[in-house]
Amino acid sequence: MRDVAVVGFAQRQMKEFDGSPNCVELLVPLFAECYAQTGWTRRDIGFWCSGSSDYLAGRSFSFVSAVDAIGVMPPVNESHVEMDAAWALYEAWLKIQTGEVDTALVYGFGKSSAGLLRRTLALQLDPYTMTPLWPDTVSLAGLQARAGIDAGLWDERAMAEVAHRSLTDAEKNEHAIRSGGSSVEDLLARPLYAEPLRKHDCAPVTDGAAAIVLAADDRAREVSDRPAWISGIATYVDALSMGTRDLTRAPSAASSAARCDLGGVEVAELHAPFSHQELVLRRELALADDVAINPSGGSLTGNPMFTGGLIRIGEAARRVWDGSADKVLGHATSGPALQQNLVCVMEGRA
């Protein structure tokens, strides 16, 4: 296996929707930031891979327009996944493992404000038994949260504690859409949104984009004194049908973690768009109590669709770069109620 590291990361999350830029306008400055971090140009990138959704954009092959952000010349080796860009990172990692390329730039983008996100995401459900009913994502998450409460696995206070910690940590994150200004008691006093969820239990609708640069072996060492080396990466998928799953569990997350060595992880950035989902993931990943969870504030403070998981990997990598952690975990989820999960473990090495 080739050594592959994260050596560049840039993100943008829009606080306002009015005049929100299109995908090309979002991506061009992010690519420029990645070039500045690495000292490379687009000629140094061996492979490009993106994550987005035509359903979100409302037109076929919408991702093709984003390729304009790369530039016309030279021609590029490019691919795309119709899901969170964390899975584009997985494809790029595999591409580097084949030896065909040594570097890759992975990017994701999504304009959730272009439509009614809760309704649009019903299209990812079983097309025969679920989508015709149009159950929205927040309502499904409410069912999941209620199942856990009824099973005695968590309560509304535990969910509020997750939200409070996330909002407090987000005060230090310039990219966060929400931050601070609350206490656990204040949060519990707020009205219900989709019982038992309150609005702070749900990730905000967010427009945004992110980009990550991967490099192998000496190519990584030439641009970074302390690359975030990927020591383990795995992804699994649970059944699509909501009726065949225990919604209080996420077996695909546990299976992904089992393929990686999580011993000694100090920081975990978990892609949990709802507060109770962090509680599910902590159990499935068997994270120790001393692991710092979502020090960036996590998805509850900003969650661009098809970028939220990639951002978690980038935020985790930052902790390796700045020396605040030697071993970190980045997690991504896709599909309804934690149906699909990806785990990426990164380490700093001498």
Side-chain angles (χ1 to χ4, degrees):
M1 299 289 286
R2 303 185 73 187
D3 287 336
V4 179
V6 176
V7 296
F9 171 54
Q11 63 171 304
R12 186 178 182 189
Q13 301 187 57
M14 305 300 299
K15 288 182 166 59
E16 302 291 341
F17 295 144
D18 241 4
S20 181
N22 61 38
C23 58
V24 175
E25 293 169 330
L26 278 169
L27 292 169
V28 167
L30 297 188
F31 293 169
E33 188 175 341
C34 288
Y35 296 149
Q37 291 172 5
T38 58
W40 292 343
T41 69
R42 65 174 178 270
R43 295 177 182 273
D44 294 294
I45 305 299
F47 180 59
W48 299 75
C49 198
S50 61
S52 67
S53 173
D54 288 345
Y55 286 98
L56 194 66
R59 62 185 186 276
S60 299
F61 295 100
S62 64
F63 73 93
V64 175
S65 63
V67 179
D68 290 343
I70 300 173
V72 177
M73 292 296 292
V76 298
N77 182 5
E78 185 269 342
S79 185
H80 175 263
V81 298
E82 184 83 5
M83 59 194 308
D84 193 287
W87 278 266
L89 182 144
Y90 186 71
E91 180 178 339
W93 177 83
L94 287 172
K95 187 79 166 179
I96 292 175
Q97 292 299 330
T98 67
E100 292 184 25
V101 299
D102 297 323
T103 61
L105 194 152
V106 178
Y107 62 96
F109 56 93
K111 287 196 62 164
S112 301
S113 66
L116 186 59
L117 182 63
R118 291 173 64 172
R119 185 174 177 85
T120 302
L121 291 180
L123 295 169
Q124 69 186 334
L125 301 169
D126 182 282
Y128 301 104
T129 63
M130 291 292 288
T131 299
L133 302 175
W134 292 101
D136 66 87
T137 49
V138 177
S139 298
L140 291 175
L143 290 173
Q144 184 182 36
R146 171 52 59 192
I149 291 173
D150 289 349
L153 298 174
W154 59 76
D155 56 22
E156 292 182 29
R157 175 168 288 277
M159 292 159 57
E161 288 171 350
V162 169
H164 177 252
R165 191 202 68 243
S166 298
L167 291 166
T168 301
D169 288 343
E171 292 177 349
K172 303 184 291 290
N173 183 356
E174 63 177 318
H175 300 287
I177 303 302
R178 295 174 178 162
S179 62
S182 67
S183 68
V184 171
E185 297 302 330
D186 289 339
L187 294 177
L188 287 170
R190 294 179 182 177
L192 292 170
Y193 180 50
E195 198 277 339
L197 302 175
R198 295 169 172 82
K199 282 199 172 182
H200 56 258
D201 290 310
C202 312
V205 175
T206 314
D207 291 353
I212 277 180
V213 182
L214 298 180
D217 308 318
D218 289 342
R219 294 304 305 272
R221 298 182 184 93
E222 74 184 32
V223 298
S224 175
D225 294 330
R226 188 176 165 84
W229 296 102
I230 297 175
S231 59
I233 186 168
T235 179
Y236 282 83
V237 179
D238 293 323
L240 177 60
S241 174
M242 304 290 283
T244 59
R245 286 197 280 147
D246 176 357
L247 296 182
T248 68
R249 304 298 305 269
S252 59
S255 297
S256 298
R259 295 294 301 272
C260 305
D261 176 13
L262 271 57
V265 165
E266 301 161 78
V267 173
E269 284 281 344
L270 304 181
H271 188 197
F274 299 92
S275 59
H276 64 278
Q277 291 181 349
E278 179 185 305
L279 302 174
V280 175
L281 291 168
R282 289 190 68 154
R283 182 177 60 164
E284 296 293 4
L285 301 176
L287 296 175
D289 291 339
D290 60 351
V291 176
I293 306 295
N294 290 341
S296 67
S299 301
L300 291 180
T301 65
N303 186 43
M305 286 305 303
F306 307 103
T307 303
L310 188 70
I311 289 174
R312 303 278 68 78
I313 295 173
E315 288 285 2
R318 285 188 190 277
R319 306 291 166 172
V320 173
W321 296 344
D322 65 18
S324 60
D326 291 320
K327 189 171 184 179
V328 299
L329 180 154
H331 163 268
T333 192
S334 191
L338 299 175
Q339 184 222 357
Q340 306 159 41
N341 290 278
L342 180 148
V343 167
C344 178
V345 179
M346 293 164 284
E347 300 180 24
R349 300 173 188 165

